[in-house]
Amino acid sequence: MQPFTRLDGLVAPLDRANVDTDAIIPKQFLKSIKRTGFGPNAFDEWRYLDHGEPGMDNSKRPLNPDFVLNQSRYQGASVLLARENFGCGSSREHAPWALEDYGFRAIIAPSFADIFYNNCFKNGLLPIVLPAEVVEQLFRETDAAEGYRLLIDLEAQTVATPDGDVFAFEVDAERKHRLLHGLDDIGITLRFTDQIKAYEARRKQEAPWLFA
Amino acid sequence: MQPRTLYDKLWDDHVVHVEPDGTTLLYIDRHLVHEVTSPQAFEGLRINGRKLWRVASVLATPDHNVPTSDRAAGIADPVSRTQVETLDANCRDFGLTEFAMDDRRQGIVHVIGPEQGFTQPGVTLVCGDSHTSTHGAFAALAFGIGTSEVEHVMATQCLWQKKSKAMLVRVDGELPPGVTAKDIVLAVIGRIGTAGGTGHAIEFGGSAIRALSMEGRMTLCNMAIEAGARAGLVAVDERTIEYMRGRPGAPAGENWERAVAYWRTLTSDEGAAFDAIVELDATAIRPQVTWGTSPEMVTGIDGRVPDPAEAPNPVKQADWTRALQYMGLKAHTPITEIAVDKVFIGSCTNSRIEDLRAAAEVARWGLRNGRKVAAGVRQALVVPGSGLVKAEAEAEGLDQVFIEAGFEWRDPGCSMCLAMNADRLEPGERCASTSNRNFEGRQGQGGRTHLVSPAMAAAAAMFGHFVDVREVMR
């Protein structure tokens, strides 16, 4: 997993509440058995005018000019600004895979769905919760200034605007540590092999039917 | 000892290790695997030369991509076929138990887990699927995970978790006839919103919940995720224990008595503290119908499509406006005037035997009263949740009732809940669906989904538009 430390990124706004993972990556693309290549199909049904299927040459498909991420001013964005309950619905990790493959490294919203939030951290993607009124301010500023960027510092847990406003955000110490260093969870967990085996030995005594 | 919630007890019994910030290494007893969210996990194990920690903890089945008709012909879509064959190969290579597509026990993961007694009270159970919350009906701590975590559980039998808050949703009183677990959970979501349970495990309690069958409790917990909660829970009672008795995976011999004694402790203690409590009066719940593109956009069958001008805030107003546009609905339209093109009875929410019986009862009523699936309804699918549910329904003659009434009787799978197989809505088609999500494009690009109970879906099929099943069946 790629580490996340600091990001000075162009911001793209997605002004909708309850953006679900079916919208982030529609089901037909879940048939892939790979972990990569989902970026061109992120927000597929909103982004293109035709119906997308796996295997299409996405560069030749008609873009929906009304979809915000298709506007030239947001090309190259790495920070997605979103509304409440972002990433609700299905547990598909294809959603963070698609966002990351698209080029996003951080998502800012007033709230996230739990499974999606958790999946982001496994993929070097930082979900940031900021109060609704701050998010509202960021939407206004993004809209007002072309090329609007935010400076995100995970170590300091801050988001800084071009005008010098600095907003602090919360993140679990353990998640932060692993993301800062790009650590692989399984590698860390296998250091606890003795504890896991001890738990199993005890549990086999207490609840033998679970191991029958 | 301080009184504990059911969630506290399940959590405490599975702690392996705690980090200073409270991040906990939690032991996972049971792991359900399907074809969509597992291939990259197996690939990860291979790349790193890792084995499964405990092969016996896994039960796998293909469900999302499988065809629901003419199964002997195999899967026509080559991409879907590859995914299912990849699961078969992975299960073979890693030595896992799989109910493959031609196995009579194959079905939707969340139907076969309980059916096999693989799901048990007191276990931690995960699956790369958000509707894993279903299994909480058995007082199991069950939740959906992403593919990285699927790989993690395979390799370590554990997950890193932060403890959630506990919410109690108490539903007291007697449900009126024709009102079901589906209507309870939709009413709950309508009340607290799709983010209302975020960060929480929801325990459902109260006399109306106690009165539900295990199937009903599964429907309820299944949609806890639609209220934002990763886990739903119902305490153990005699009904839970009776359901477990004799299942293939249930404890046997002296283990049965020991297990039952433990299971009986799986209730929230008197005086246990919840972080939030929501109360509903069961007697006031009407059959529910969603009108929008989020499960919280729901009203009673006697309601109307709301006016975005009356939304509580500007974000919701924009949300509702967009939803009505997508759904092709006008504000103030009575729900009973909404006509449907298709009907889908199935999904991990409502494809169990009791669901099929409820739908068949309406179909029987129709046949007695000279009604079949209405002329305007292009397709009405009944898709049982598993091969065993299908066999049970056929033994009761339900298949004949459905077929005679004009429904199509299919093979088990996720089917039109998310349209990864050939069963789907065409752009603009409107569907009365017993599934769990009415998101844009969920049942097919441009498709319009209205979530309802099985009885309500069957009634909509017979009339061609939504009707109050309570009046129909009176």
Side-chain angles (χ1 to χ4, degrees), chain A residues 203 206-209, chain B residues 4 6 9 13 120-122 139 236-238 240-242 244-245 251-267 269:
Chain A
R203 192 75 175 151
E206 294 169 356
W209 62 90
Chain B
R4 292 185 300 163
L6 169 56
K9 293 179 183 181
D13 277 353
Q120 294 178 10
V236 166
D237 62 10
E238 290 311 311
T240 321
I241 294 165
E242 277 316 303
M244 292 305 301
R245 196 183 293 277
E254 67 179 39
N255 271 340
W256 171 260
E257 295 305 325
R258 280 187 76 177
V260 168
Y262 172 61
W263 295 347
R264 288 192 203 282
T265 68
L266 298 174
T267 60
D269 294 331

mmCIF file of all heavy atoms in Angstrom, chain A residues 203 206-209, chain B residues 4 6 9 13 120-122 139 236-238 240-242 244-245 251-267 269:
data_model
loop_
_atom_site.group_PDB
_atom_site.id
_atom_site.type_symbol
_atom_site.label_atom_id
_atom_site.label_comp_id
_atom_site.label_asym_id
_atom_site.label_seq_id
_atom_site.Cartn_x
_atom_site.Cartn_y
_atom_site.Cartn_z
ATOM 1 N N ARG A 203 -10.465 -20.730 23.694
ATOM 2 C CA ARG A 203 -11.819 -20.790 23.156
ATOM 3 C C ARG A 203 -12.260 -22.236 22.909
ATOM 4 O O ARG A 203 -13.439 -22.566 23.062
ATOM 5 C CB ARG A 203 -11.860 -19.971 21.860
ATOM 6 C CG ARG A 203 -13.240 -19.698 21.353
ATOM 7 C CD ARG A 203 -13.948 -18.623 22.155
ATOM 8 N NE ARG A 203 -15.255 -18.312 21.552
ATOM 9 C CZ ARG A 203 -16.297 -17.890 22.231
ATOM 10 N NH1 ARG A 203 -16.213 -17.708 23.540
ATOM 11 N NH2 ARG A 203 -17.429 -17.631 21.618
ATOM 12 N N GLU A 206 -13.662 -23.366 26.129
ATOM 13 C CA GLU A 206 -14.938 -22.726 26.485
ATOM 14 C C GLU A 206 -16.066 -23.122 25.536
ATOM 15 O O GLU A 206 -17.208 -23.284 25.970
ATOM 16 C CB GLU A 206 -14.807 -21.199 26.399
ATOM 17 C CG GLU A 206 -13.872 -20.575 27.406
ATOM 18 C CD GLU A 206 -13.594 -19.113 27.064
ATOM 19 O OE1 GLU A 206 -14.074 -18.620 26.015
ATOM 20 O OE2 GLU A 206 -12.873 -18.478 27.844
ATOM 21 N N ALA A 207 -15.746 -23.184 24.248
ATOM 22 C CA ALA A 207 -16.788 -23.402 23.231
ATOM 23 C C ALA A 207 -16.302 -24.396 22.186
ATOM 24 O O ALA A 207 -16.077 -24.047 21.036
ATOM 25 C CB ALA A 207 -17.150 -22.066 22.570
ATOM 26 N N PRO A 208 -16.158 -25.652 22.598
ATOM 27 C CA PRO A 208 -15.558 -26.648 21.698
ATOM 28 C C PRO A 208 -16.355 -26.870 20.411
ATOM 29 O O PRO A 208 -15.778 -27.235 19.387
ATOM 30 C CB PRO A 208 -15.537 -27.928 22.548
ATOM 31 C CG PRO A 208 -16.479 -27.685 23.680
ATOM 32 C CD PRO A 208 -16.493 -26.218 23.912
ATOM 33 N N TRP A 209 -17.683 -26.627 20.474
ATOM 34 C CA TRP A 209 -18.501 -26.866 19.286
ATOM 35 C C TRP A 209 -18.113 -25.961 18.114
ATOM 36 O O TRP A 209 -18.367 -26.297 16.963
ATOM 37 C CB TRP A 209 -19.984 -26.700 19.621
ATOM 38 C CG TRP A 209 -20.343 -25.314 20.077
ATOM 39 C CD1 TRP A 209 -20.739 -24.274 19.284
ATOM 40 C CD2 TRP A 209 -20.326 -24.813 21.407
ATOM 41 N NE1 TRP A 209 -20.965 -23.160 20.041
ATOM 42 C CE2 TRP A 209 -20.733 -23.462 21.352
ATOM 43 C CE3 TRP A 209 -20.029 -25.379 22.666
ATOM 44 C CZ2 TRP A 209 -20.828 -22.664 22.504
ATOM 45 C CZ3 TRP A 209 -20.128 -24.585 23.795
ATOM 46 C CH2 TRP A 209 -20.514 -23.243 23.711
ATOM 47 N N ARG B 4 -24.055 -5.640 30.746
ATOM 48 C CA ARG B 4 -23.513 -5.502 29.399
ATOM 49 C C ARG B 4 -24.600 -5.669 28.337
ATOM 50 O O ARG B 4 -25.550 -6.435 28.525
ATOM 51 C CB ARG B 4 -22.418 -6.563 29.155
ATOM 52 C CG ARG B 4 -21.159 -6.339 29.977
ATOM 53 C CD ARG B 4 -20.078 -7.353 29.606
ATOM 54 N NE ARG B 4 -20.498 -8.737 29.839
ATOM 55 C CZ ARG B 4 -19.896 -9.808 29.307
ATOM 56 N NH1 ARG B 4 -18.853 -9.651 28.508
ATOM 57 N NH2 ARG B 4 -20.321 -11.021 29.574
ATOM 58 N N LEU B 6 -25.797 -7.055 24.576
ATOM 59 C CA LEU B 6 -25.481 -8.241 23.784
ATOM 60 C C LEU B 6 -24.226 -7.986 22.948
ATOM 61 O O LEU B 6 -23.347 -8.848 22.828
ATOM 62 C CB LEU B 6 -26.690 -8.568 22.880
ATOM 63 C CG LEU B 6 -26.490 -9.613 21.790
ATOM 64 C CD1 LEU B 6 -26.002 -10.931 22.369
ATOM 65 C CD2 LEU B 6 -27.800 -9.795 21.007
ATOM 66 N N LYS B 9 -21.096 -8.344 24.945
ATOM 67 C CA LYS B 9 -20.762 -9.749 25.242
ATOM 68 C C LYS B 9 -20.086 -10.418 24.052
ATOM 69 O O LYS B 9 -19.090 -11.131 24.199
ATOM 70 C CB LYS B 9 -22.029 -10.532 25.621
ATOM 71 C CG LYS B 9 -22.640 -10.074 26.943
ATOM 72 C CD LYS B 9 -23.909 -10.863 27.258
ATOM 73 C CE LYS B 9 -24.537 -10.344 28.542
ATOM 74 N NZ LYS B 9 -25.754 -11.103 28.903
ATOM 75 N N ASP B 13 -16.030 -11.612 24.009
ATOM 76 C CA ASP B 13 -15.679 -13.022 23.831
ATOM 77 C C ASP B 13 -14.744 -13.270 22.652
ATOM 78 O O ASP B 13 -14.322 -14.402 22.438
ATOM 79 C CB ASP B 13 -16.952 -13.873 23.648
ATOM 80 C CG ASP B 13 -17.578 -14.228 24.985
ATOM 81 O OD1 ASP B 13 -16.937 -13.931 26.031
ATOM 82 O OD2 ASP B 13 -18.692 -14.773 25.003
ATOM 83 N N GLN B 120 -24.260 -19.410 13.737
ATOM 84 C CA GLN B 120 -24.699 -19.837 15.076
ATOM 85 C C GLN B 120 -24.701 -18.661 16.037
ATOM 86 O O GLN B 120 -23.934 -17.717 15.856
ATOM 87 C CB GLN B 120 -23.746 -20.905 15.621
ATOM 88 C CG GLN B 120 -23.774 -22.207 14.845
ATOM 89 C CD GLN B 120 -22.790 -23.228 15.380
ATOM 90 O OE1 GLN B 120 -22.202 -23.036 16.440
ATOM 91 N NE2 GLN B 120 -22.600 -24.301 14.632
ATOM 92 N N PRO B 121 -25.526 -18.746 17.067
ATOM 93 C CA PRO B 121 -25.480 -17.713 18.089
ATOM 94 C C PRO B 121 -24.068 -17.598 18.678
ATOM 95 O O PRO B 121 -23.368 -18.612 18.816
ATOM 96 C CB PRO B 121 -26.462 -18.222 19.154
ATOM 97 C CG PRO B 121 -27.400 -19.106 18.405
ATOM 98 C CD PRO B 121 -26.568 -19.753 17.339
ATOM 99 N N GLY B 122 -23.671 -16.376 18.964
ATOM 100 C CA GLY B 122 -22.410 -16.175 19.678
ATOM 101 C C GLY B 122 -21.166 -16.157 18.826
ATOM 102 O O GLY B 122 -20.077 -15.897 19.330
ATOM 103 N N ALA B 139 -28.080 -13.529 17.107
ATOM 104 C CA ALA B 139 -27.192 -13.029 18.156
ATOM 105 C C ALA B 139 -25.747 -13.408 17.835
ATOM 106 O O ALA B 139 -24.970 -13.801 18.697
ATOM 107 C CB ALA B 139 -27.605 -13.537 19.541
ATOM 108 N N VAL B 236 -30.926 -13.971 21.712
ATOM 109 C CA VAL B 236 -31.345 -15.385 21.641
ATOM 110 C C VAL B 236 -32.623 -15.606 22.448
ATOM 111 O O VAL B 236 -32.794 -15.042 23.523
ATOM 112 C CB VAL B 236 -30.223 -16.294 22.193
ATOM 113 C CG1 VAL B 236 -30.740 -17.709 22.446
ATOM 114 C CG2 VAL B 236 -29.036 -16.324 21.233
ATOM 115 N N ASP B 237 -33.534 -16.381 21.904
ATOM 116 C CA ASP B 237 -34.668 -16.881 22.690
ATOM 117 C C ASP B 237 -34.969 -18.311 22.225
ATOM 118 O O ASP B 237 -34.190 -18.886 21.466
ATOM 119 C CB ASP B 237 -35.886 -15.958 22.581
ATOM 120 C CG ASP B 237 -36.415 -15.833 21.149
ATOM 121 O OD1 ASP B 237 -35.955 -16.598 20.273
ATOM 122 O OD2 ASP B 237 -37.286 -14.981 20.916
ATOM 123 N N GLU B 238 -36.076 -18.860 22.671
ATOM 124 C CA GLU B 238 -36.381 -20.257 22.342
ATOM 125 C C GLU B 238 -36.489 -20.468 20.830
ATOM 126 O O GLU B 238 -36.160 -21.520 20.307
ATOM 127 C CB GLU B 238 -37.670 -20.697 23.031
ATOM 128 C CG GLU B 238 -37.544 -20.825 24.544
ATOM 129 C CD GLU B 238 -36.322 -21.632 24.975
ATOM 130 O OE1 GLU B 238 -36.121 -22.741 24.439
ATOM 131 O OE2 GLU B 238 -35.545 -21.141 25.833
ATOM 132 N N THR B 240 -34.801 -19.023 18.528
ATOM 133 C CA THR B 240 -33.448 -19.139 17.961
ATOM 134 C C THR B 240 -32.938 -20.564 18.135
ATOM 135 O O THR B 240 -32.399 -21.181 17.212
ATOM 136 C CB THR B 240 -32.479 -18.191 18.722
ATOM 137 O OG1 THR B 240 -33.138 -16.966 19.022
ATOM 138 C CG2 THR B 240 -31.216 -17.952 17.927
ATOM 139 N N ILE B 241 -33.114 -21.064 19.348
ATOM 140 C CA ILE B 241 -32.591 -22.397 19.673
ATOM 141 C C ILE B 241 -33.325 -23.461 18.864
ATOM 142 O O ILE B 241 -32.706 -24.378 18.314
ATOM 143 C CB ILE B 241 -32.707 -22.649 21.197
ATOM 144 C CG1 ILE B 241 -31.781 -21.670 21.930
ATOM 145 C CG2 ILE B 241 -32.373 -24.096 21.548
ATOM 146 C CD1 ILE B 241 -32.027 -21.532 23.409
ATOM 147 N N GLU B 242 -34.636 -23.299 18.738
ATOM 148 C CA GLU B 242 -35.408 -24.270 17.955
ATOM 149 C C GLU B 242 -34.975 -24.271 16.492
ATOM 150 O O GLU B 242 -34.926 -25.312 15.844
ATOM 151 C CB GLU B 242 -36.914 -23.988 18.055
ATOM 152 C CG GLU B 242 -37.537 -24.575 19.294
ATOM 153 C CD GLU B 242 -37.050 -26.012 19.569
ATOM 154 O OE1 GLU B 242 -37.207 -26.875 18.683
ATOM 155 O OE2 GLU B 242 -36.489 -26.257 20.654
ATOM 156 N N MET B 244 -32.049 -23.709 15.371
ATOM 157 C CA MET B 244 -30.725 -24.327 15.248
ATOM 158 C C MET B 244 -30.779 -25.851 15.311
ATOM 159 O O MET B 244 -29.950 -26.542 14.719
ATOM 160 C CB MET B 244 -29.803 -23.850 16.378
ATOM 161 C CG MET B 244 -29.399 -22.384 16.317
ATOM 162 S SD MET B 244 -28.638 -21.924 14.746
ATOM 163 C CE MET B 244 -27.231 -23.027 14.712
ATOM 164 N N ARG B 245 -31.773 -26.360 16.027
ATOM 165 C CA ARG B 245 -31.828 -27.792 16.315
ATOM 166 C C ARG B 245 -31.827 -28.629 15.035
ATOM 167 O O ARG B 245 -32.641 -28.408 14.143
ATOM 168 C CB ARG B 245 -33.096 -28.084 17.124
ATOM 169 C CG ARG B 245 -33.114 -29.422 17.808
ATOM 170 C CD ARG B 245 -34.446 -29.653 18.521
ATOM 171 N NE ARG B 245 -34.685 -28.765 19.653
ATOM 172 C CZ ARG B 245 -34.205 -28.973 20.892
ATOM 173 N NH1 ARG B 245 -33.478 -30.036 21.144
ATOM 174 N NH2 ARG B 245 -34.475 -28.124 21.859
ATOM 175 N N PRO B 251 -24.208 -27.756 16.769
ATOM 176 C CA PRO B 251 -23.484 -28.611 17.720
ATOM 177 C C PRO B 251 -24.267 -29.896 17.971
ATOM 178 O O PRO B 251 -25.495 -29.896 17.981
ATOM 179 C CB PRO B 251 -23.431 -27.762 18.995
ATOM 180 C CG PRO B 251 -23.703 -26.365 18.555
ATOM 181 C CD PRO B 251 -24.536 -26.444 17.328
ATOM 182 N N ALA B 252 -23.528 -30.989 18.181
ATOM 183 C CA ALA B 252 -24.181 -32.285 18.380
ATOM 184 C C ALA B 252 -23.747 -32.883 19.712
ATOM 185 O O ALA B 252 -22.753 -32.461 20.305
ATOM 186 C CB ALA B 252 -23.810 -33.218 17.229
ATOM 187 N N GLY B 253 -24.522 -33.865 20.181
ATOM 188 C CA GLY B 253 -24.170 -34.601 21.393
ATOM 189 C C GLY B 253 -24.117 -33.689 22.603
ATOM 190 O O GLY B 253 -24.958 -32.793 22.755
ATOM 191 N N GLU B 254 -23.123 -33.881 23.434
ATOM 192 C CA GLU B 254 -23.047 -33.074 24.665
ATOM 193 C C GLU B 254 -22.708 -31.619 24.372
ATOM 194 O O GLU B 254 -23.004 -30.726 25.158
ATOM 195 C CB GLU B 254 -22.038 -33.672 25.656
ATOM 196 C CG GLU B 254 -20.602 -33.617 25.198
ATOM 197 C CD GLU B 254 -19.663 -34.220 26.256
ATOM 198 O OE1 GLU B 254 -20.053 -35.234 26.877
ATOM 199 O OE2 GLU B 254 -18.572 -33.654 26.451
ATOM 200 N N ASN B 255 -22.114 -31.397 23.180
ATOM 201 C CA ASN B 255 -21.853 -30.024 22.770
ATOM 202 C C ASN B 255 -23.138 -29.215 22.608
ATOM 203 O O ASN B 255 -23.140 -28.001 22.785
ATOM 204 C CB ASN B 255 -21.094 -30.000 21.433
ATOM 205 C CG ASN B 255 -19.582 -30.030 21.664
ATOM 206 O OD1 ASN B 255 -19.110 -29.708 22.754
ATOM 207 N ND2 ASN B 255 -18.850 -30.399 20.631
ATOM 208 N N TRP B 256 -24.215 -29.918 22.225
ATOM 209 C CA TRP B 256 -25.488 -29.208 22.042
ATOM 210 C C TRP B 256 -25.919 -28.553 23.354
ATOM 211 O O TRP B 256 -26.240 -27.367 23.392
ATOM 212 C CB TRP B 256 -26.560 -30.164 21.500
ATOM 213 C CG TRP B 256 -27.930 -29.543 21.506
ATOM 214 C CD1 TRP B 256 -28.920 -29.738 22.424
ATOM 215 C CD2 TRP B 256 -28.447 -28.582 20.572
ATOM 216 N NE1 TRP B 256 -30.018 -28.977 22.130
ATOM 217 C CE2 TRP B 256 -29.757 -28.249 20.990
ATOM 218 C CE3 TRP B 256 -27.938 -27.961 19.418
ATOM 219 C CZ2 TRP B 256 -30.568 -27.329 20.303
ATOM 220 C CZ3 TRP B 256 -28.742 -27.053 18.733
ATOM 221 C CH2 TRP B 256 -30.039 -26.745 19.178
ATOM 222 N N GLU B 257 -25.922 -29.322 24.427
ATOM 223 C CA GLU B 257 -26.357 -28.781 25.720
ATOM 224 C C GLU B 257 -25.465 -27.629 26.171
ATOM 225 O O GLU B 257 -25.934 -26.611 26.660
ATOM 226 C CB GLU B 257 -26.372 -29.883 26.790
ATOM 227 C CG GLU B 257 -27.399 -30.983 26.533
ATOM 228 C CD GLU B 257 -28.822 -30.438 26.344
ATOM 229 O OE1 GLU B 257 -29.179 -29.441 27.006
ATOM 230 O OE2 GLU B 257 -29.564 -31.010 25.517
ATOM 231 N N ARG B 258 -24.168 -27.815 26.001
ATOM 232 C CA ARG B 258 -23.226 -26.752 26.386
ATOM 233 C C ARG B 258 -23.450 -25.502 25.564
ATOM 234 O O ARG B 258 -23.430 -24.380 26.075
ATOM 235 C CB ARG B 258 -21.780 -27.227 26.190
ATOM 236 C CG ARG B 258 -21.255 -28.090 27.298
ATOM 237 C CD ARG B 258 -19.778 -28.378 27.118
ATOM 238 N NE ARG B 258 -18.940 -27.228 27.469
ATOM 239 C CZ ARG B 258 -17.603 -27.251 27.444
ATOM 240 N NH1 ARG B 258 -16.982 -28.343 27.065
ATOM 241 N NH2 ARG B 258 -16.910 -26.196 27.780
ATOM 242 N N ALA B 259 -23.642 -25.708 24.267
ATOM 243 C CA ALA B 259 -23.855 -24.564 23.382
ATOM 244 C C ALA B 259 -25.138 -23.823 23.757
ATOM 245 O O ALA B 259 -25.149 -22.602 23.876
ATOM 246 C CB ALA B 259 -23.910 -25.032 21.923
ATOM 247 N N VAL B 260 -26.196 -24.576 23.984
ATOM 248 C CA VAL B 260 -27.481 -23.950 24.313
ATOM 249 C C VAL B 260 -27.368 -23.145 25.614
ATOM 250 O O VAL B 260 -27.886 -22.030 25.716
ATOM 251 C CB VAL B 260 -28.605 -25.004 24.396
ATOM 252 C CG1 VAL B 260 -29.867 -24.416 25.015
ATOM 253 C CG2 VAL B 260 -28.910 -25.558 23.001
ATOM 254 N N ALA B 261 -26.653 -23.692 26.580
ATOM 255 C CA ALA B 261 -26.471 -22.971 27.855
ATOM 256 C C ALA B 261 -25.756 -21.643 27.608
ATOM 257 O O ALA B 261 -26.119 -20.607 28.180
ATOM 258 C CB ALA B 261 -25.670 -23.842 28.829
ATOM 259 N N TYR B 262 -24.766 -21.672 26.731
ATOM 260 C CA TYR B 262 -24.048 -20.430 26.387
ATOM 261 C C TYR B 262 -24.957 -19.478 25.617
ATOM 262 O O TYR B 262 -25.033 -18.280 25.894
ATOM 263 C CB TYR B 262 -22.808 -20.783 25.575
ATOM 264 C CG TYR B 262 -22.072 -19.596 24.984
ATOM 265 C CD1 TYR B 262 -21.525 -18.600 25.806
ATOM 266 C CD2 TYR B 262 -21.920 -19.461 23.605
ATOM 267 C CE1 TYR B 262 -20.848 -17.514 25.260
ATOM 268 C CE2 TYR B 262 -21.243 -18.378 23.062
ATOM 269 C CZ TYR B 262 -20.711 -17.410 23.891
ATOM 270 O OH TYR B 262 -20.040 -16.340 23.356
ATOM 271 N N TRP B 263 -25.682 -20.038 24.645
ATOM 272 C CA TRP B 263 -26.550 -19.199 23.813
ATOM 273 C C TRP B 263 -27.565 -18.434 24.667
ATOM 274 O O TRP B 263 -27.887 -17.290 24.372
ATOM 275 C CB TRP B 263 -27.282 -20.054 22.771
ATOM 276 C CG TRP B 263 -26.354 -20.687 21.756
ATOM 277 C CD1 TRP B 263 -25.044 -20.378 21.540
ATOM 278 C CD2 TRP B 263 -26.665 -21.740 20.832
ATOM 279 N NE1 TRP B 263 -24.521 -21.165 20.539
ATOM 280 C CE2 TRP B 263 -25.498 -22.019 20.083
ATOM 281 C CE3 TRP B 263 -27.829 -22.469 20.566
ATOM 282 C CZ2 TRP B 263 -25.455 -22.986 19.074
ATOM 283 C CZ3 TRP B 263 -27.787 -23.444 19.560
ATOM 284 C CH2 TRP B 263 -26.612 -23.694 18.822
ATOM 285 N N ARG B 264 -28.052 -19.098 25.712
ATOM 286 C CA ARG B 264 -29.075 -18.442 26.538
ATOM 287 C C ARG B 264 -28.548 -17.186 27.238
ATOM 288 O O ARG B 264 -29.320 -16.363 27.709
ATOM 289 C CB ARG B 264 -29.635 -19.410 27.578
ATOM 290 C CG ARG B 264 -30.533 -20.480 26.985
ATOM 291 C CD ARG B 264 -31.285 -21.216 28.093
ATOM 292 N NE ARG B 264 -31.724 -22.550 27.676
ATOM 293 C CZ ARG B 264 -32.791 -22.776 26.903
ATOM 294 N NH1 ARG B 264 -33.521 -21.771 26.482
ATOM 295 N NH2 ARG B 264 -33.112 -24.014 26.560
ATOM 296 N N THR B 265 -27.225 -17.059 27.322
ATOM 297 C CA THR B 265 -26.657 -15.858 27.959
ATOM 298 C C THR B 265 -26.577 -14.691 26.973
ATOM 299 O O THR B 265 -26.207 -13.576 27.349
ATOM 300 C CB THR B 265 -25.229 -16.125 28.486
ATOM 301 O OG1 THR B 265 -24.338 -16.319 27.369
ATOM 302 C CG2 THR B 265 -25.183 -17.347 29.389
ATOM 303 N N LEU B 266 -26.914 -14.957 25.721
ATOM 304 C CA LEU B 266 -26.692 -13.941 24.686
ATOM 305 C C LEU B 266 -27.896 -13.002 24.541
ATOM 306 O O LEU B 266 -28.612 -12.997 23.542
ATOM 307 C CB LEU B 266 -26.346 -14.620 23.357
ATOM 308 C CG LEU B 266 -25.047 -15.450 23.419
ATOM 309 C CD1 LEU B 266 -24.825 -16.212 22.115
ATOM 310 C CD2 LEU B 266 -23.847 -14.557 23.724
ATOM 311 N N THR B 267 -28.082 -12.232 25.580
ATOM 312 C CA THR B 267 -29.101 -11.186 25.611
ATOM 313 C C THR B 267 -28.479 -9.985 26.315
ATOM 314 O O THR B 267 -27.481 -10.141 27.032
ATOM 315 C CB THR B 267 -30.334 -11.617 26.428
ATOM 316 O OG1 THR B 267 -29.898 -11.894 27.767
ATOM 317 C CG2 THR B 267 -30.980 -12.869 25.870
ATOM 318 N N ASP B 269 -28.075 -7.464 29.190
ATOM 319 C CA ASP B 269 -28.427 -7.509 30.611
ATOM 320 C C ASP B 269 -29.426 -6.403 30.947
ATOM 321 O O ASP B 269 -29.420 -5.334 30.328
ATOM 322 C CB ASP B 269 -27.177 -7.300 31.475
ATOM 323 C CG ASP B 269 -26.192 -8.442 31.334
ATOM 324 O OD1 ASP B 269 -26.623 -9.584 31.060
ATOM 325 O OD2 ASP B 269 -24.977 -8.194 31.511
#
